C-alpha cells in the first residue's frame, strides 16, 4: 500500500548491496515511478537507455561517488506504470517536475533514449538543469569522466 504522503511512498527495499536503494516515488501529477538512489551530495539525475536500468548497478555505484544519484525507471519500464506518457516530450516534463521536487538544480546524465529526454528537458528549463551530458555507448567513459570533473569543480 502506498503512503498518502507526497512525494514519497513508504516502499523501500535493498538492491544489490547496501549502497543502492529502490523506492517508488511520486512525480509530476502523482505519477508513481520506480527510482534507484545511491550516493550523497549534489543531485545527479540518470536517465537510462531503451534497455532499462537492470545491469546498471555498477555504473550507478561509480556515479554515486560524485553525488546523489537518482535513477528513475521511465514509465512502462520495470515497476513504473505506463500512465499517460506517450512521448519524449511527456517524459521530459515528468523529469523536470522530479527535478523541481529536489529543490536544487541537478546534473542530468542520459544514455541513448535517456540522453534524448535529458536534452528535451534542458531546452525547456535550463535553470533547473545544472548541467547535462548525453552519450553514446562507445563514448561512455569519456563523458562520465567529463561529468565527474564538472561535478567536482562546482
Amino acid at each position: 500500500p502506498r503512503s498518502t504522503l507526497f512525494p514519497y511512498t513508504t516502499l523501500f527495499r535493498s538492491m544489490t548491496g547496501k549502497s543502492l536503494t529502490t523506492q517508488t516515488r511520486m512525480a509530476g501529477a502523482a505519477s508513481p515511478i520506480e527510482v534507484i538512489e545511491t550516493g550523497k551530495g549534489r543531485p545527479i539525475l540518470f536517465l537510462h537507455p531503451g534497455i532499462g536500468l537492470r545491469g546498471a548497478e555498477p555504473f550507478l555505484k561509480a556515479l554515486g561517488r560524485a553525488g546523489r544519484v537518482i535513477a528513475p525507471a521511465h514509465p512502462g519500464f520495470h515497476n513504473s506504470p505506463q500512465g499517460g506518457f506517450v512521448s519524449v516530450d511527456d517524459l521530459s516534463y515528468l523529469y523536470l517536475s522530479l527535478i523541481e521536487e529536489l529543490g536544487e538544480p541537478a546534473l542530468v546524465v542520459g544514455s541513448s533514449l535517456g540522453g534524448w529526454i535529458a536534452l528535451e528537458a534542458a531546452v525547456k528549463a535550463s535553470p533547473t538543469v545544472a548541467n547535462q551530458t548525453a552519450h553514446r555507448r562507445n563514448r561512455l567513459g569519456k563523458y562520465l569522466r567529463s561529468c565527474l570533473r564538472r561535478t567536482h569543480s562546482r
Side-chain angles (χ1 to χ4, degrees):
R2 289 195 176 96
S3 166
T4 57
L5 297 175
F6 187 80
Y8 303 101
T9 63
T10 56
L11 174 64
F12 289 90
R13 71 183 189 280
S14 177
M15 193 182 158
T16 322
K18 295 179 182 178
S19 63
L20 290 178
T21 59
T22 300
Q23 63 183 347
T24 300
R25 175 183 281 194
M26 302 304 283
S31 302
I33 55 174
E34 181 181 42
V35 178
I36 295 175
E37 292 194 35
T38 189
K40 293 181 182 175
R42 182 179 185 188
I44 302 170
L45 180 65
F46 174 73
L47 302 178
H48 66 76
I51 62 169
L53 281 166
R54 299 298 182 249
E57 290 87 357
F59 172 76
L60 296 175
K61 285 180 182 179
L63 193 57
R65 291 193 294 263
R68 179 177 153 222
V69 176
I70 300 125
H74 306 318
F77 286 80
H78 310 298
N79 292 323
S80 296
Q82 179 67 42
F85 301 96
V86 296
S87 69
V88 168
D89 186 57
D90 291 344
L91 294 174
S92 69
Y93 283 112
L94 173 69
Y95 294 129
L96 284 172
S97 66
L98 185 108
I99 292 170
E100 277 184 28
E101 291 168 9
L102 296 174
E104 64 181 301
L107 173 64
V108 180
V109 177
S111 175
S112 188
L113 171 63
W116 182 11
I117 298 166
L119 292 170
E120 288 283 337
V123 167
K124 292 175 174 104
S126 57
T128 58
V129 177
N131 210 330
Q132 59 85 28
T133 182
H135 60 79
R136 296 187 316 225
R137 271 190 152 158
N138 60 348
R139 300 222 174 143
L140 174 61
K142 179 179 176 183
Y143 283 110
L144 180 56
R145 284 188 295 278
S146 171
C147 166
L148 295 175
R149 277 194 294 272
R150 282 182 278 180
T151 299
H152 286 300
S153 67
R154 293 183 188 250

